Amino acid sequence: MIGIGILKGMAVTLRNFAGSYFEKERLITVQYPEERSPLPENYRNFPFLIFDGNDPDAGLRCVACQICEKECPPQCIYIIKSKDKKPDYVGRPQFYPATFDIDISVCMSCQICVEVCPFEAIKMDKDFELSQRERFDHLLFRKEQLSKSNDYYHKIHPIEAAAVDKNLAEAAAAAEAKKKAAAEAAAKAAAAKAAAASAPTAVASPESAVGSTSAPGAKPSETTNPPKET
């Protein structure tokens, strides 16, 4: 029958249309902000800085290497390096950002800053409710606004955060093992040097005194005086 395919297609459309009003799993509208759709694991919005522990200043992972600032395509990251240093996650003294600003009105959420960071210090956030009444200064996020705990990172990206923590723990363990091996080698070298310094010094025998021509351990040769002339 001519047109049967069209009728079947319209029936499918009608069934889907009616089902979108009655089948809960197919409802596409949520009562925002009371209801919120869950965001996927890989959702990203704007960057934020991670700190370990409870102190954002002492635990900040960023060492102000400024790679993200150089690689940022829209150049929306601004960093000033500190004058002093603080220990990083493996105990090495590192610089830290005295100033770290991101202009989110310019940021394009490309995630390049995350990819190039060698210290796992900057990640992408899921917070999208960032509207402000002011256009300029209120959209310039300072270090205090950007700093968020590692617990928050685990909350929004649990799988990724677990992998990052594992890598950092392995790196810290390797650095600690290397440091321990170097300390043991230094201790052994110091002990060997002390043993060599405390060893008794060999006393020179009379045979080896200055002026002796005999070999060590051999009896000195007798000197024959020439006969006197009469």
Side-chain angles (χ1 to χ4, degrees):
M1 179 179 177
I2 298 176
I4 188 67
I6 296 177
L7 293 176
K8 288 182 178 179
M10 293 300 294
V12 172
T13 302
L14 182 61
R15 184 169 63 252
N16 289 333
F17 175 75
S20 64
Y21 282 91
F22 301 103
E23 298 175 11
K24 185 176 181 179
E25 63 275 7
R26 299 188 57 199
L27 295 177
I28 59 174
T29 303
V30 296
Q31 302 300 316
Y32 181 84
E34 290 79 10
E35 298 179 12
R36 297 171 182 264
S37 298
L39 298 174
E41 167 79 13
N42 292 330
Y43 177 86
R44 66 175 189 259
N45 199 26
F46 295 110
F48 71 98
L49 300 175
I50 299 179
F51 67 87
D52 296 306
N54 298 320
D55 190 349
D57 292 325
L60 198 65
R61 293 180 183 176
C62 178
V63 298
C65 64
Q66 298 179 303
I67 295 178
C68 58
E69 182 183 31
K70 295 180 179 68
E71 297 294 333
C72 178
Q75 296 294 295
C76 65
I77 301 176
Y78 178 67
I79 302 172
I80 297 179
K81 187 183 295 186
S82 64
K83 302 297 183 182
D84 57 332
K85 294 183 178 182
K86 66 177 181 64
D88 64 0
Y89 67 96
V90 295
R92 294 176 298 185
Q94 298 281 3
F95 291 103
Y96 60 92
T99 299
F100 196 116
D101 299 340
I102 296 181
D103 189 351
I104 64 170
S105 67
V106 179
C107 178
M108 52 192 260
S109 302
C110 63
Q111 199 173 313
I112 291 179
C113 57
V114 176
E115 301 297 332
V116 300
C117 180
F119 297 94
E120 304 288 358
I122 186 168
K123 298 296 179 181
M124 301 303 289
D125 206 345
K126 286 187 176 183
D127 188 9
F128 56 88
E129 298 172 317
L130 301 173
S131 60
Q132 302 288 341
R133 292 184 178 274
E134 298 293 335
R135 179 180 178 186
F136 298 104
D137 188 61
H138 287 194
L139 293 176
L140 182 64
F141 279 23
R142 313 287 182 179
K143 182 176 68 172
E144 294 73 20
Q145 295 170 278
L146 295 170
S147 299
K148 298 183 179 180
S149 67
N150 190 37
D151 293 336
Y152 175 79
Y153 179 41
H154 275 265
K155 181 180 177 181
I156 63 173
H157 296 295
I159 299 176
E160 180 182 300
V164 168
D165 279 0
K166 181 181 178 182
N167 293 336
L168 292 180
E170 291 176 352
E176 185 63 26
K178 185 177 180 180
K179 183 178 178 180
K180 185 178 180 181
E184 291 177 353
K188 289 181 180 179
K193 185 176 180 180
S198 62
T201 305
V203 179
S205 61
E207 293 82 358
S208 59
V210 178
S212 174
T213 58
S214 59
K219 182 178 180 181
S221 60
E222 296 181 355
T223 305
T224 305
N225 293 327
K228 295 182 180 180
E229 296 180 0
T230 57

Short mmCIF file of all heavy atoms in Angstrom, two decimals, residues 128-186:
data_model
loop_
_atom_site.label_atom_id
_atom_site.label_comp_id
_atom_site.label_asym_id
_atom_site.label_seq_id
_atom_site.Cartn_x
_atom_site.Cartn_y
_atom_site.Cartn_z
N PHE A 128 29.58 25.70 36.72
CA PHE A 128 29.20 26.53 35.58
C PHE A 128 28.34 27.74 35.99
O PHE A 128 28.03 28.59 35.15
CB PHE A 128 28.43 25.71 34.54
CG PHE A 128 27.22 25.01 35.08
CD1 PHE A 128 25.99 25.66 35.12
CD2 PHE A 128 27.31 23.72 35.55
CE1 PHE A 128 24.87 25.01 35.61
CE2 PHE A 128 26.20 23.06 36.05
CZ PHE A 128 24.96 23.72 36.08
N GLU A 129 27.97 27.83 37.25
CA GLU A 129 27.14 28.95 37.70
C GLU A 129 28.04 30.10 38.15
O GLU A 129 28.25 30.35 39.32
CB GLU A 129 26.23 28.49 38.84
CG GLU A 129 25.28 27.40 38.42
CD GLU A 129 24.51 26.81 39.59
OE1 GLU A 129 25.11 26.57 40.65
OE2 GLU A 129 23.30 26.58 39.42
N LEU A 130 28.61 30.79 37.19
CA LEU A 130 29.60 31.81 37.46
C LEU A 130 29.18 33.19 36.95
O LEU A 130 30.03 34.07 36.79
CB LEU A 130 30.94 31.42 36.81
CG LEU A 130 31.54 30.08 37.27
CD1 LEU A 130 32.76 29.73 36.45
CD2 LEU A 130 31.88 30.14 38.74
N SER A 131 27.91 33.37 36.70
CA SER A 131 27.46 34.68 36.20
C SER A 131 27.65 35.76 37.25
O SER A 131 27.49 35.52 38.45
CB SER A 131 25.99 34.60 35.78
OG SER A 131 25.18 34.24 36.89
N GLN A 132 28.04 36.95 36.80
CA GLN A 132 28.30 38.08 37.69
C GLN A 132 27.60 39.32 37.13
O GLN A 132 27.24 39.39 35.95
CB GLN A 132 29.81 38.34 37.78
CG GLN A 132 30.63 37.17 38.27
CD GLN A 132 30.44 36.90 39.74
OE1 GLN A 132 29.97 37.76 40.48
NE2 GLN A 132 30.79 35.70 40.18
N ARG A 133 27.42 40.28 38.00
CA ARG A 133 26.80 41.54 37.57
C ARG A 133 27.79 42.45 36.86
O ARG A 133 27.41 43.26 36.04
CB ARG A 133 26.19 42.26 38.78
CG ARG A 133 24.99 41.55 39.38
CD ARG A 133 24.39 42.36 40.51
NE ARG A 133 23.22 41.70 41.06
CZ ARG A 133 21.98 41.84 40.59
NH1 ARG A 133 21.77 42.61 39.53
NH2 ARG A 133 20.97 41.20 41.14
N GLU A 134 29.06 42.30 37.22
CA GLU A 134 30.10 43.10 36.59
C GLU A 134 30.79 42.29 35.51
O GLU A 134 30.99 41.07 35.66
CB GLU A 134 31.12 43.56 37.64
CG GLU A 134 30.54 44.44 38.73
CD GLU A 134 30.08 45.79 38.20
OE1 GLU A 134 30.63 46.22 37.16
OE2 GLU A 134 29.18 46.40 38.80
N ARG A 135 31.22 42.96 34.48
CA ARG A 135 31.76 42.26 33.33
C ARG A 135 33.27 42.01 33.44
O ARG A 135 33.77 41.03 32.91
CB ARG A 135 31.48 43.07 32.06
CG ARG A 135 32.03 42.45 30.78
CD ARG A 135 31.71 43.31 29.59
NE ARG A 135 32.27 42.77 28.37
CZ ARG A 135 32.23 43.37 27.19
NH1 ARG A 135 31.62 44.55 27.09
NH2 ARG A 135 32.75 42.83 26.12
N PHE A 136 33.99 42.89 34.13
CA PHE A 136 35.45 42.84 34.07
C PHE A 136 36.06 42.27 35.35
O PHE A 136 36.42 41.10 35.39
CB PHE A 136 36.00 44.24 33.77
CG PHE A 136 35.54 44.77 32.43
CD1 PHE A 136 34.56 45.73 32.36
CD2 PHE A 136 36.08 44.28 31.26
CE1 PHE A 136 34.13 46.20 31.15
CE2 PHE A 136 35.66 44.75 30.03
CZ PHE A 136 34.67 45.72 29.97
N ASP A 137 36.21 43.06 36.38
CA ASP A 137 36.95 42.62 37.56
C ASP A 137 36.32 41.41 38.24
O ASP A 137 37.03 40.57 38.79
CB ASP A 137 37.07 43.78 38.54
CG ASP A 137 37.98 43.46 39.70
OD1 ASP A 137 39.17 43.20 39.45
OD2 ASP A 137 37.50 43.44 40.85
N HIS A 138 35.02 41.28 38.21
CA HIS A 138 34.36 40.16 38.87
C HIS A 138 34.57 38.84 38.14
O HIS A 138 34.32 37.78 38.70
CB HIS A 138 32.87 40.44 39.02
CG HIS A 138 32.57 41.47 40.06
ND1 HIS A 138 31.31 41.69 40.56
CD2 HIS A 138 33.36 42.35 40.72
CE1 HIS A 138 31.33 42.64 41.47
NE2 HIS A 138 32.58 43.06 41.57
N LEU A 139 35.00 38.89 36.91
CA LEU A 139 35.29 37.68 36.14
C LEU A 139 36.78 37.35 36.11
O LEU A 139 37.19 36.43 35.43
CB LEU A 139 34.76 37.81 34.71
CG LEU A 139 33.23 37.88 34.59
CD1 LEU A 139 32.83 38.11 33.14
CD2 LEU A 139 32.59 36.60 35.11
N LEU A 140 37.57 38.13 36.85
CA LEU A 140 38.99 37.84 37.00
C LEU A 140 39.18 37.10 38.32
O LEU A 140 39.10 37.68 39.40
CB LEU A 140 39.80 39.14 37.00
CG LEU A 140 41.32 38.99 37.11
CD1 LEU A 140 41.88 38.24 35.91
CD2 LEU A 140 41.99 40.34 37.27
N PHE A 141 39.41 35.80 38.24
CA PHE A 141 39.51 34.96 39.43
C PHE A 141 40.94 34.98 39.96
O PHE A 141 41.89 34.70 39.24
CB PHE A 141 39.09 33.53 39.12
CG PHE A 141 37.60 33.33 39.12
CD1 PHE A 141 36.73 34.40 38.91
CD2 PHE A 141 37.05 32.08 39.33
CE1 PHE A 141 35.36 34.23 38.90
CE2 PHE A 141 35.68 31.89 39.34
CZ PHE A 141 34.83 32.97 39.12
N ARG A 142 41.07 35.30 41.25
CA ARG A 142 42.36 35.34 41.91
C ARG A 142 42.74 33.96 42.45
O ARG A 142 41.97 33.02 42.39
CB ARG A 142 42.34 36.35 43.06
CG ARG A 142 41.72 37.68 42.70
CD ARG A 142 42.60 38.50 41.82
NE ARG A 142 42.02 39.81 41.52
CZ ARG A 142 42.60 40.74 40.77
NH1 ARG A 142 43.79 40.50 40.25
NH2 ARG A 142 42.00 41.89 40.54
N LYS A 143 43.96 33.87 42.99
CA LYS A 143 44.45 32.60 43.52
C LYS A 143 43.56 32.08 44.64
O LYS A 143 43.34 30.86 44.75
CB LYS A 143 45.88 32.78 44.02
CG LYS A 143 46.52 31.51 44.56
CD LYS A 143 47.98 31.72 44.96
CE LYS A 143 48.09 32.62 46.16
NZ LYS A 143 49.49 32.67 46.68
N GLU A 144 43.04 32.98 45.46
CA GLU A 144 42.18 32.57 46.57
C GLU A 144 40.89 31.92 46.07
O GLU A 144 40.38 30.98 46.68
CB GLU A 144 41.86 33.76 47.46
CG GLU A 144 43.05 34.34 48.21
CD GLU A 144 44.00 35.12 47.31
OE1 GLU A 144 43.57 35.53 46.22
OE2 GLU A 144 45.17 35.32 47.70
N GLN A 145 40.34 32.42 44.96
CA GLN A 145 39.12 31.84 44.40
C GLN A 145 39.41 30.55 43.63
O GLN A 145 38.56 29.66 43.57
CB GLN A 145 38.45 32.85 43.47
CG GLN A 145 37.95 34.11 44.15
CD GLN A 145 37.53 35.16 43.15
OE1 GLN A 145 38.35 35.91 42.62
NE2 GLN A 145 36.24 35.22 42.87
N LEU A 146 40.58 30.47 43.04
CA LEU A 146 40.92 29.31 42.22
C LEU A 146 41.37 28.11 43.05
O LEU A 146 41.28 26.97 42.59
CB LEU A 146 42.04 29.68 41.23
CG LEU A 146 41.69 30.72 40.17
CD1 LEU A 146 42.95 31.16 39.43
CD2 LEU A 146 40.67 30.18 39.19
N SER A 147 41.88 28.34 44.26
CA SER A 147 42.42 27.25 45.08
C SER A 147 41.30 26.41 45.68
O SER A 147 40.44 26.92 46.40
CB SER A 147 43.29 27.83 46.20
OG SER A 147 44.38 28.56 45.65
N LYS A 148 41.34 25.11 45.39
CA LYS A 148 40.37 24.16 45.93
C LYS A 148 41.09 22.90 46.35
O LYS A 148 42.12 22.53 45.78
CB LYS A 148 39.27 23.85 44.91
CG LYS A 148 38.44 25.08 44.52
CD LYS A 148 37.32 24.75 43.58
CE LYS A 148 36.51 26.00 43.24
NZ LYS A 148 35.39 25.71 42.33
N SER A 149 40.54 22.23 47.35
CA SER A 149 41.23 21.09 47.96
C SER A 149 41.23 19.87 47.05
O SER A 149 40.42 19.74 46.13
CB SER A 149 40.58 20.74 49.30
OG SER A 149 39.28 20.24 49.08
N ASN A 150 42.12 18.93 47.38
CA ASN A 150 42.18 17.67 46.66
C ASN A 150 40.92 16.84 46.91
O ASN A 150 40.51 16.04 46.06
CB ASN A 150 43.42 16.88 47.09
CG ASN A 150 43.69 15.68 46.22
OD1 ASN A 150 43.47 15.71 45.00
ND2 ASN A 150 44.16 14.60 46.81
N ASP A 151 40.29 17.02 48.07
CA ASP A 151 39.02 16.34 48.35
C ASP A 151 37.94 16.79 47.38
O ASP A 151 37.12 15.98 46.91
CB ASP A 151 38.58 16.61 49.78
CG ASP A 151 39.52 15.98 50.80
OD1 ASP A 151 40.20 15.00 50.44
OD2 ASP A 151 39.58 16.48 51.94
N TYR A 152 37.93 18.09 47.07
CA TYR A 152 36.96 18.60 46.09
C TYR A 152 37.23 17.99 44.71
O TYR A 152 36.30 17.63 43.98
CB TYR A 152 37.06 20.12 46.03
CG TYR A 152 36.21 20.76 44.96
CD1 TYR A 152 34.84 20.96 45.15
CD2 TYR A 152 36.76 21.16 43.75
CE1 TYR A 152 34.05 21.54 44.17
CE2 TYR A 152 35.98 21.73 42.76
CZ TYR A 152 34.62 21.92 42.98
OH TYR A 152 33.85 22.48 41.99
N TYR A 153 38.52 17.87 44.36
CA TYR A 153 38.88 17.25 43.08
C TYR A 153 38.39 15.81 43.01
O TYR A 153 37.88 15.36 41.99
CB TYR A 153 40.40 17.33 42.92
CG TYR A 153 40.94 16.72 41.65
CD1 TYR A 153 40.30 16.88 40.43
CD2 TYR A 153 42.13 15.99 41.68
CE1 TYR A 153 40.82 16.32 39.27
CE2 TYR A 153 42.65 15.45 40.53
CZ TYR A 153 41.99 15.60 39.33
OH TYR A 153 42.50 15.05 38.18
N HIS A 154 38.51 15.06 44.13
CA HIS A 154 38.02 13.69 44.16
C HIS A 154 36.50 13.64 44.04
O HIS A 154 35.94 12.68 43.52
CB HIS A 154 38.45 13.02 45.47
CG HIS A 154 39.82 12.43 45.41
ND1 HIS A 154 40.07 11.12 45.10
CD2 HIS A 154 41.04 13.00 45.61
CE1 HIS A 154 41.36 10.88 45.12
NE2 HIS A 154 41.98 12.01 45.44
N LYS A 155 35.85 14.67 44.52
CA LYS A 155 34.39 14.70 44.47
C LYS A 155 33.87 14.89 43.05
O LYS A 155 32.88 14.25 42.65
CB LYS A 155 33.88 15.82 45.37
CG LYS A 155 32.38 15.94 45.43
CD LYS A 155 31.95 17.07 46.35
CE LYS A 155 30.43 17.24 46.37
NZ LYS A 155 30.00 18.36 47.24
N ILE A 156 34.52 15.74 42.27
CA ILE A 156 34.01 16.04 40.93
C ILE A 156 34.61 15.13 39.85
O ILE A 156 33.98 14.88 38.82
CB ILE A 156 34.25 17.52 40.57
CG1 ILE A 156 35.74 17.84 40.52
CG2 ILE A 156 33.54 18.44 41.55
CD1 ILE A 156 36.05 19.23 40.01
N HIS A 157 35.84 14.64 40.07
CA HIS A 157 36.49 13.73 39.11
C HIS A 157 37.09 12.55 39.86
O HIS A 157 38.31 12.43 39.98
CB HIS A 157 37.59 14.47 38.34
CG HIS A 157 37.11 15.59 37.48
ND1 HIS A 157 36.29 15.40 36.39
CD2 HIS A 157 37.34 16.93 37.55
CE1 HIS A 157 36.04 16.57 35.82
NE2 HIS A 157 36.66 17.51 36.51
N PRO A 158 36.28 11.66 40.40
CA PRO A 158 36.82 10.60 41.28
C PRO A 158 37.81 9.66 40.59
O PRO A 158 38.84 9.31 41.18
CB PRO A 158 35.56 9.86 41.73
CG PRO A 158 34.50 10.20 40.73
CD PRO A 158 34.82 11.57 40.26
N ILE A 159 37.52 9.24 39.37
CA ILE A 159 38.41 8.29 38.69
C ILE A 159 39.73 8.94 38.33
O ILE A 159 40.82 8.40 38.58
CB ILE A 159 37.72 7.73 37.42
CG1 ILE A 159 36.42 6.99 37.79
CG2 ILE A 159 38.66 6.81 36.66
CD1 ILE A 159 35.63 6.50 36.60
N GLU A 160 39.66 10.13 37.76
CA GLU A 160 40.86 10.85 37.38
C GLU A 160 41.70 11.21 38.60
O GLU A 160 42.93 11.06 38.58
CB GLU A 160 40.47 12.11 36.62
CG GLU A 160 41.62 12.98 36.16
CD GLU A 160 41.12 14.23 35.46
OE1 GLU A 160 40.43 14.11 34.43
OE2 GLU A 160 41.42 15.33 35.95
N ALA A 161 41.06 11.66 39.67
CA ALA A 161 41.79 12.06 40.88
C ALA A 161 42.50 10.88 41.51
O ALA A 161 43.62 11.01 42.02
CB ALA A 161 40.83 12.70 41.88
N ALA A 162 41.87 9.71 41.51
CA ALA A 162 42.51 8.52 42.07
C ALA A 162 43.77 8.15 41.28
O ALA A 162 44.80 7.79 41.86
CB ALA A 162 41.53 7.35 42.07
N ALA A 163 43.70 8.27 39.95
CA ALA A 163 44.88 7.97 39.13
C ALA A 163 45.99 8.98 39.38
O ALA A 163 47.18 8.62 39.45
CB ALA A 163 44.48 7.97 37.65
N VAL A 164 45.63 10.25 39.53
CA VAL A 164 46.63 11.29 39.80
C VAL A 164 47.31 11.05 41.14
O VAL A 164 48.53 11.14 41.27
CB VAL A 164 45.98 12.68 39.75
CG1 VAL A 164 46.92 13.75 40.30
CG2 VAL A 164 45.59 13.03 38.33
N ASP A 165 46.53 10.74 42.18
CA ASP A 165 47.10 10.48 43.50
C ASP A 165 48.04 9.28 43.47
O ASP A 165 49.09 9.28 44.14
CB ASP A 165 45.98 10.23 44.51
CG ASP A 165 45.37 11.53 45.00
OD1 ASP A 165 45.81 12.60 44.56
OD2 ASP A 165 44.43 11.47 45.83
N LYS A 166 47.69 8.27 42.71
CA LYS A 166 48.55 7.09 42.60
C LYS A 166 49.88 7.45 41.96
O LYS A 166 50.96 7.05 42.44
CB LYS A 166 47.84 6.01 41.78
CG LYS A 166 48.66 4.73 41.62
CD LYS A 166 47.92 3.71 40.78
CE LYS A 166 48.77 2.46 40.59
NZ LYS A 166 48.09 1.46 39.73
N ASN A 167 49.85 8.25 40.89
CA ASN A 167 51.08 8.65 40.22
C ASN A 167 51.96 9.52 41.13
O ASN A 167 53.18 9.35 41.17
CB ASN A 167 50.75 9.42 38.93
CG ASN A 167 50.09 8.54 37.88
OD1 ASN A 167 50.26 7.31 37.90
ND2 ASN A 167 49.35 9.14 36.98
N LEU A 168 51.33 10.44 41.86
CA LEU A 168 52.09 11.29 42.76
C LEU A 168 52.70 10.47 43.90
O LEU A 168 53.84 10.73 44.32
CB LEU A 168 51.19 12.39 43.33
CG LEU A 168 50.70 13.45 42.33
CD1 LEU A 168 49.81 14.47 43.02
CD2 LEU A 168 51.88 14.14 41.65
N ALA A 169 51.95 9.50 44.42
CA ALA A 169 52.48 8.66 45.49
C ALA A 169 53.68 7.84 45.00
O ALA A 169 54.68 7.68 45.72
CB ALA A 169 51.39 7.73 46.02
N GLU A 170 53.60 7.31 43.78
CA GLU A 170 54.71 6.54 43.23
C GLU A 170 55.93 7.43 43.02
O GLU A 170 57.07 7.02 43.30
CB GLU A 170 54.29 5.89 41.91
CG GLU A 170 53.27 4.77 42.08
CD GLU A 170 52.79 4.21 40.75
OE1 GLU A 170 53.16 4.80 39.71
OE2 GLU A 170 52.07 3.20 40.75
N ALA A 171 55.70 8.65 42.54
CA ALA A 171 56.82 9.58 42.34
C ALA A 171 57.46 9.95 43.67
O ALA A 171 58.69 10.03 43.79
CB ALA A 171 56.34 10.83 41.61
N ALA A 172 56.63 10.19 44.69
CA ALA A 172 57.17 10.52 46.02
C ALA A 172 57.95 9.35 46.61
O ALA A 172 59.01 9.54 47.22
CB ALA A 172 56.02 10.93 46.94
N ALA A 173 57.44 8.12 46.42
CA ALA A 173 58.14 6.94 46.93
C ALA A 173 59.47 6.75 46.22
O ALA A 173 60.49 6.41 46.85
CB ALA A 173 57.26 5.70 46.77
N ALA A 174 59.49 6.96 44.91
CA ALA A 174 60.74 6.83 44.16
C ALA A 174 61.76 7.87 44.60
O ALA A 174 62.95 7.58 44.75
CB ALA A 174 60.47 6.96 42.66
N ALA A 175 61.30 9.11 44.82
CA ALA A 175 62.20 10.16 45.28
C ALA A 175 62.74 9.86 46.67
O ALA A 175 63.92 10.09 46.96
CB ALA A 175 61.47 11.51 45.27
N GLU A 176 61.88 9.32 47.54
CA GLU A 176 62.32 8.97 48.90
C GLU A 176 63.34 7.82 48.87
O GLU A 176 64.33 7.84 49.61
CB GLU A 176 61.11 8.58 49.74
CG GLU A 176 61.43 8.31 51.20
CD GLU A 176 61.94 9.51 51.94
OE1 GLU A 176 61.62 10.64 51.52
OE2 GLU A 176 62.68 9.32 52.94
N ALA A 177 63.10 6.83 48.01
CA ALA A 177 64.05 5.72 47.89
C ALA A 177 65.40 6.20 47.35
O ALA A 177 66.46 5.77 47.82
CB ALA A 177 63.46 4.64 46.98
N LYS A 178 65.36 7.10 46.38
CA LYS A 178 66.60 7.66 45.83
C LYS A 178 67.35 8.45 46.89
O LYS A 178 68.57 8.36 47.01
CB LYS A 178 66.27 8.53 44.63
CG LYS A 178 67.48 9.06 43.90
CD LYS A 178 67.07 9.86 42.67
CE LYS A 178 68.29 10.40 41.94
NZ LYS A 178 67.90 11.20 40.73
N LYS A 179 66.62 9.22 47.67
CA LYS A 179 67.23 10.01 48.74
C LYS A 179 67.85 9.10 49.80
O LYS A 179 68.95 9.36 50.29
CB LYS A 179 66.17 10.93 49.36
CG LYS A 179 66.69 11.86 50.43
CD LYS A 179 65.57 12.74 50.94
CE LYS A 179 66.07 13.67 52.06
NZ LYS A 179 64.97 14.53 52.56
N LYS A 180 67.13 8.03 50.15
CA LYS A 180 67.64 7.08 51.15
C LYS A 180 68.89 6.38 50.65
O LYS A 180 69.86 6.20 51.40
CB LYS A 180 66.55 6.06 51.48
CG LYS A 180 66.93 5.09 52.58
CD LYS A 180 65.78 4.15 52.90
CE LYS A 180 66.16 3.16 54.00
NZ LYS A 180 65.04 2.23 54.29
N ALA A 181 68.89 5.97 49.37
CA ALA A 181 70.07 5.31 48.80
C ALA A 181 71.27 6.26 48.79
O ALA A 181 72.40 5.85 49.08
CB ALA A 181 69.76 4.82 47.39
N ALA A 182 71.04 7.53 48.46
CA ALA A 182 72.13 8.50 48.46
C ALA A 182 72.68 8.71 49.86
O ALA A 182 73.89 8.83 50.07
CB ALA A 182 71.65 9.82 47.87
N ALA A 183 71.78 8.74 50.87
CA ALA A 183 72.23 8.90 52.25
C ALA A 183 73.04 7.69 52.71
O ALA A 183 74.07 7.84 53.40
CB ALA A 183 71.02 9.11 53.16
N GLU A 184 72.62 6.48 52.35
CA GLU A 184 73.36 5.28 52.72
C GLU A 184 74.73 5.25 52.05
O GLU A 184 75.73 4.89 52.68
CB GLU A 184 72.56 4.04 52.33
CG GLU A 184 71.30 3.82 53.17
CD GLU A 184 70.50 2.62 52.71
OE1 GLU A 184 70.87 2.04 51.66
OE2 GLU A 184 69.51 2.27 53.39
N ALA A 185 74.79 5.66 50.79
CA ALA A 185 76.07 5.70 50.09
C ALA A 185 77.01 6.72 50.73
O ALA A 185 78.21 6.47 50.89
CB ALA A 185 75.86 6.01 48.61
N ALA A 186 76.47 7.87 51.12
CA ALA A 186 77.29 8.88 51.78
C ALA A 186 77.79 8.39 53.13
O ALA A 186 78.94 8.65 53.52
CB ALA A 186 76.49 10.17 51.93
#
